[in-house]
């Protein structure tokens, strides 16, 4: 698998991206993918409508000292743009990573389950190339899923609530245009926060021939880590959980931006990508394909 | 099909064969010895039948040849290159149908082939649609190309799997049970297709449990049992290695058996409507005359040719449905 021998001179190196293109179109044309994106798009709609109903008789939300909602939720009635931040904060702990877990967990194991893996490898797709293609597609799905939440939230926010200049967490005023730019930046950071889960899911996917088992294991790990992250006695290892700094994206709404946790988050995601990406590669390139 | 236009550094290795294994061995985790010291040589241009009872190691061998499974020891060369190291150089020239077709049910037949073709980095995307259409046409699926693969019958899936193996001009086709699930007419079509491909110079490595299929299509054959290669050679030689059987059809079985024994025919056995035995050296007509002279009413007389099935059963000591 390591020795690449180019046969023929008319072959273009660009042809190798045919598999990535095929993978992307195949993934995004699947009903399952569309259903996951649909669920993600529905979350901001539900949050928006709930906030609208809740505040239709009084002017402010949670004035009676109710429970703590997701970050920024009290600001939505003043500015629809805050629905983007609220929706991302609401979907990042579970909905988004669960969707990633499904796509990443199914990446290799699903092909093995259907038997299509052996035909891709005999084509020959090349094991490293196939793995990279699968990871790139999973990351593309991370970005698409996050943007679906953000765009849906922005649309609902614009329809139900006023838009305009907004107040940062630090109390300063920024223009709507800058707020929009921050919203995009936050969406990108949220998408990047999912890199670790994607790598973990891909690694799990190389361990089994059952797509369902890989998906369930990845989502199970996700829930376990979220629970462990809440247990105070484990604070020594919590900074190494992939989800530990997830909500640091809110720091992008400070003035000036507080970068420390944001950078820790991105560094942690890169570490997960390297560790589990390497593990997935080591496993997949030496595995006997018997499915 | 055109001759492959780009062959590059792939040498034919005339003396070695298109497929050549030496002491190829696979022991699975858990100690099960699936393939044991296999020395297999598939000559270029042959249609090579690969026979063996279920569980005899055929599929493991095919998977090792295709680079899907790493051998425990020994070597496998395909098109003169070592496998699995040279998969990227070798496999674009090999079409394979392994353990039945596997398809994306949510994609149409055409989109399935487009996907498999784009998995091959040496396949030209400019000719992809045309090659897919030609492959669909070749297996008789052109009319059903737009249907979702999950709506295909078993026979149609089998045809689509074959089409995937024919996306490019190939130098070697590895076909595992290619007529599985097809109706008799479909079987005939696929066998005709295999003969046609072989006459174009493609080497075909065909695993089948249908002995008459092997006999009809193949020039060479190898027989495996319990992970070991029992024999390999031309189909004619394998069947010729088996002596035919003298069959006399008569109602006077006792008399016939007595006469045959007197004439030195060995292993005489009385059946319901006649007598059989090992055919003797020398002129058979004299034997017939002797039977008639002794008053035996001979209704049929002749030597039944040994089939590959007889050879197979004699070699493996079992039928095909018995797990090895």
């Amino acid at each position: 698998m390591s020795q690449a021998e180019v046969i023929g001179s008319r072959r273009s190196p660009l042809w190798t991206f045919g598999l990535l293109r095929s993978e992307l179109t195949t993934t995004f044309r699947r009903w399952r993918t569309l259903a996951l994106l649909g669920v993600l798009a529905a979350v901001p709609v539900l949050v928006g409508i709930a906030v609208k109903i809740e505040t239709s008789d009084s002017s402010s939300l949670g004035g009676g000292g109710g429970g703590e909602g997701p970050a920024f939720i009290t600001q939505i009635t003043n500015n629809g743009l805050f629905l983007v931040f609220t929706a991302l904060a609401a979907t990042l702990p579970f909905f988004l990573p669960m969707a990633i877990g499904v796509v990443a967990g199914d990446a290799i194991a699903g092909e093995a389950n259907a038997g299509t893996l052996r035909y891709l490898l005999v084509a020959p797709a090349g094991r490293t190339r196939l793995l990279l293609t699968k990871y790139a597609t999973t990351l593309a799905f991370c970005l698409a899923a996050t943007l679906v939440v953000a765009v849906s939230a922005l649309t609902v926010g614009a329809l139900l609530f006023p838009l305009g200049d907004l107040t940062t967490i630090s109390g300063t005023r920024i223009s709507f245009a800058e707020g929009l730019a921050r919203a995009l930046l936050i969406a990108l950071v949220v998408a990047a926060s999912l890199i670790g889960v994607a790598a973990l899911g891909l690694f799990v996917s190389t361990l089994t021939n059952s797509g369902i088992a890989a998906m369930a294991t990845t989502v199970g790990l996700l829930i376990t880590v979220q629970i462990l992250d809440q247990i105070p006695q484990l604070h020594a290892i919590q900074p190494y959980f992939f989800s530990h700094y997830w909500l640091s994206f809110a720091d992008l709404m400070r003035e000036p931006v507080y970068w420390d946790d944001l950078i820790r988050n991105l560094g942690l995601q890169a570490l997960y990508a390297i560790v589990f990406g390497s593990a997935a590669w080591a496993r997949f390139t030496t595995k006997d394909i018997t499915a | 099909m055109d001759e492959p236009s780009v062959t590059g550094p792939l040498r034919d290795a005339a003396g070695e064969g298109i497929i050549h294994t030496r002491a190829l061995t696979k022991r699975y985790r858990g100690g099960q010895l699936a393939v044991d010291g296999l020395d297999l040589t598939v000559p270029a241009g042959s249609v090579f039948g690969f026979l063996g009872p279920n569980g005899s190691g055929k599929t493991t061998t095919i998977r090792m040849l295709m680079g899907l499974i790493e051998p425990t020891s020994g070597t496998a060369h395909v098109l003169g290159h070592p496998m699995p190291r040279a998969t990227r150089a070798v496999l674009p020239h090999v079409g394979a149908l392994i353990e039945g077709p596997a398809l994306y049910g949510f994609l149409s037949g055409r989109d399935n082939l487009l996907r498999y073709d784009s998995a091959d980095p040496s396949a030209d995307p400019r000719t992809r649609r045309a090659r897919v259409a030609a492959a669909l046409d070749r297996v008789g699926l052109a009319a059903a190309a737009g249907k979702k693969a999950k709506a295909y019958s078993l026979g149609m899936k089998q045809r689509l799997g074959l089409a995937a193996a024919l996306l490019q001009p190939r130098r070697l086709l590895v076909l595992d049970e290619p007529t599985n699930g097809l109706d008799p007419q479909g079987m005939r079509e696929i066998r005709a297709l295999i003969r046609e491909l072989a006459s174009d110079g493609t080497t075909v490595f065909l695993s089948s449990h249908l002995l008459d299929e092997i006999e009809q299509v193949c020039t060479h054959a190898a027989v495996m049992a319990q992970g070991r290669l029992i024999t390999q050679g031309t189909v004619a030689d394998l069947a010729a290695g088996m002596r035919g059987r003298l069959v006399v059809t008569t109602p006077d079985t006792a008399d016939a058996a007595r006469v045959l024994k007197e004439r030195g025919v060995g292993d005489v056995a009385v059946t319901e409507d006649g007598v059989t035995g090992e055919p003797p050296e020398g002129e058979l007509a004299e034997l017939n005359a002797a039977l008639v002279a002794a008053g035996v009413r001979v209704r049929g007389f002749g030597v039944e040719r040994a089939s590959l099935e007889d050879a197979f059963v004699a070699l493996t000591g079992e039928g095909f449905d018995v797990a090895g």
Side-chain angles (χ1 to χ4, degrees):
Chain A
M1 277 138 271
S2 53
Q3 191 182 355
E5 202 167 332
V6 180
I7 300 166
S9 49
R10 297 175 300 130
R11 183 169 150 186
S12 156
L14 284 176
W15 294 0
T16 196
F17 293 106
L19 180 60
L20 180 59
R21 208 181 126 208
S22 162
E23 185 66 33
L24 285 171
T25 51
T26 306
T27 302
F28 284 100
R29 268 197 331 194
R30 280 190 85 159
W31 276 110
R32 193 189 65 198
T33 312
L34 299 178
L36 286 172
L37 293 178
V39 168
L40 288 169
V43 172
V45 178
L46 292 176
V47 173
I49 291 173
V51 170
K52 187 74 180 174
I53 292 171
E54 184 74 4
T55 57
S56 57
D57 45 355
S58 65
S59 57
S60 77
L61 180 83
E68 236 180 86
F72 307 112
I73 199 163
T74 52
Q75 302 247 38
I76 294 175
T77 45
N78 299 325
N79 194 327
L81 190 54
F82 276 100
L83 186 57
V84 175
F85 311 135
T86 306
L88 288 174
T91 50
L92 182 52
F94 191 69
F95 278 108
L96 273 172
M98 189 201 69
I100 307 309
V102 168
V103 171
D106 199 43
I108 300 291
E111 301 271 6
N113 202 25
T116 45
L117 181 61
R118 64 175 181 268
Y119 286 108
L120 288 177
L121 291 179
V122 164
R127 298 195 187 198
T128 306
R129 175 168 168 257
L130 183 61
L131 196 68
L132 286 174
T133 301
K134 287 287 183 184
Y135 193 51
T137 306
T138 309
L139 293 186
F141 179 75
C142 291
L143 188 61
T146 313
L147 289 178
V148 161
V149 173
V151 169
S152 164
L154 187 61
T155 313
V156 174
L159 288 173
L160 297 181
F161 306 103
L163 295 175
D165 291 359
L166 58 161
T167 313
T168 64
I169 296 176
S170 311
T172 57
R173 300 284 291 177
I174 56 172
S175 70
F176 179 69
E178 200 189 335
L180 214 51
R182 297 254 179 131
L184 179 65
L185 196 57
I186 283 176
L188 293 178
V189 168
V190 168
S193 301
L194 299 166
I195 288 174
V197 186
L200 184 65
L202 195 66
F203 170 60
V204 172
S205 194
T206 60
L207 297 179
T208 169
N209 287 339
S210 158
I212 301 285
M215 287 188 248
T217 307
T218 310
V219 174
L221 279 172
L222 170 75
I223 297 170
T224 310
V225 164
Q226 300 269 44
I227 292 170
L228 293 182
D229 206 19
Q230 302 301 319
I231 299 174
Q233 284 81 357
L234 296 175
H235 70 273
I237 54 167
Q238 281 168 356
Y240 299 101
F241 292 157
F242 54 80
S243 62
H244 190 66
Y245 297 108
W246 271 357
L247 294 180
S248 66
F249 76 82
D251 292 342
L252 280 168
M253 282 305 289
R254 292 181 199 279
E255 193 67 40
V257 172
Y258 177 64
W259 288 104
D260 287 21
D261 281 356
L262 283 166
I263 288 169
R264 275 195 205 107
N265 181 27
L266 295 180
L268 193 61
Q269 300 307 325
L271 185 69
Y272 268 83
I274 291 167
V275 170
F276 286 102
S278 309
W281 179 82
R283 169 76 182 142
F284 188 53
T285 50
T286 56
K287 185 185 183 185
D288 280 347
I289 308 296
T290 52
Chain B
M1 202 177 275
D2 294 329
E3 277 294 309
S5 50
V6 270
T7 47
L10 292 180
R11 52 207 154 80
D12 244 333
E16 285 185 2
I18 288 276
I19 295 173
H20 181 72
T21 73
R22 281 198 57 187
L24 191 66
T25 301
K26 179 65 186 180
R27 187 184 287 278
Y28 283 117
R29 275 186 304 174
Q32 186 207 345
L33 196 59
V35 176
D36 185 7
L38 189 70
D39 292 309
L40 189 69
T41 304
V42 176
S46 63
V47 180
F48 196 97
F50 197 40
L51 295 163
N54 301 328
S56 59
K58 290 186 312 239
T59 300
T60 302
T61 304
I62 289 175
R63 282 178 182 267
M64 282 195 281
L65 293 175
M66 296 293 101
L68 293 171
I69 290 181
E70 187 103 23
T72 309
S73 63
T75 58
H77 283 72
V78 177
L79 307 182
H81 285 256
M83 295 297 279
R85 239 179 55 222
T87 45
R88 289 184 66 177
V90 170
L91 292 182
H93 301 276
V94 180
L97 184 67
I98 307 163
E99 276 192 284
L103 307 166
Y104 299 89
F106 55 93
L107 294 181
S108 70
R110 183 185 295 111
D111 287 345
N112 267 284
L113 294 188
L114 289 172
R115 176 160 172 78
Y116 283 135
D117 194 63
S118 55
D120 178 359
S122 69
D124 189 342
R126 290 164 297 185
T127 59
R128 183 161 293 150
R129 291 210 153 258
R131 283 184 291 110
V132 164
L136 284 166
D137 198 38
R138 192 139 204 198
V139 298
L141 270 185
K147 259 180 47 173
K148 291 252 187 293
K150 66 178 165 224
Y152 278 16
S153 68
L154 181 58
M156 288 163 83
K157 285 179 180 165
Q158 192 74 17
R159 285 166 191 258
L160 195 64
L162 265 172
L166 301 176
L167 284 168
Q168 299 223 58
R170 310 287 193 184
R171 299 183 55 204
L172 171 65
L173 281 173
V174 175
L175 304 177
D176 195 0
E177 310 277 357
T179 55
N180 206 10
L182 293 175
D183 50 38
Q185 176 61 23
M187 284 187 176
R188 200 181 295 179
E189 282 172 37
I190 296 306
R191 283 173 198 158
L193 178 61
I194 291 171
R195 282 195 207 97
E196 188 188 322
L197 291 163
S199 68
D200 288 347
T202 307
T203 307
V204 182
F205 187 76
L206 179 79
S207 136
S208 177
H209 69 273
L210 301 174
L211 284 160
D212 58 336
E213 178 167 290
I214 299 270
E215 224 166 5
Q216 281 176 36
V217 179
C218 295
T219 57
H220 294 68
V223 180
M224 272 190 91
Q226 288 166 356
R228 287 202 182 81
L229 189 68
I230 294 179
T231 184
Q232 61 182 325
T234 64
V235 168
D237 284 349
L238 286 180
M242 289 296 295
R243 301 187 63 197
R245 205 146 165 93
L246 176 70
V247 178
V248 180
T249 312
T250 171
D252 312 318
T253 49
D255 288 341
R258 181 177 46 79
V259 174
L260 290 179
K261 276 179 190 154
E262 281 169 5
R263 287 284 175 150
V265 173
D267 191 24
V268 175
V270 176
T271 62
E272 217 170 276
D273 59 348
V275 179
T276 69
E278 277 177 16
E281 308 291 323
E283 185 54 59
L284 284 173
E286 286 173 15
L287 204 57
N288 193 14
L291 283 169
V292 173
V296 175
R297 289 169 289 171
V298 177
R299 289 178 180 161
F301 184 92
V303 174
E304 252 176 27
R305 188 177 64 92
S307 69
L308 196 59
E309 182 163 355
D310 297 325
F312 179 83
V313 172
L315 285 166
T316 63
E318 58 190 318
F320 254 108
D321 296 327
V322 183

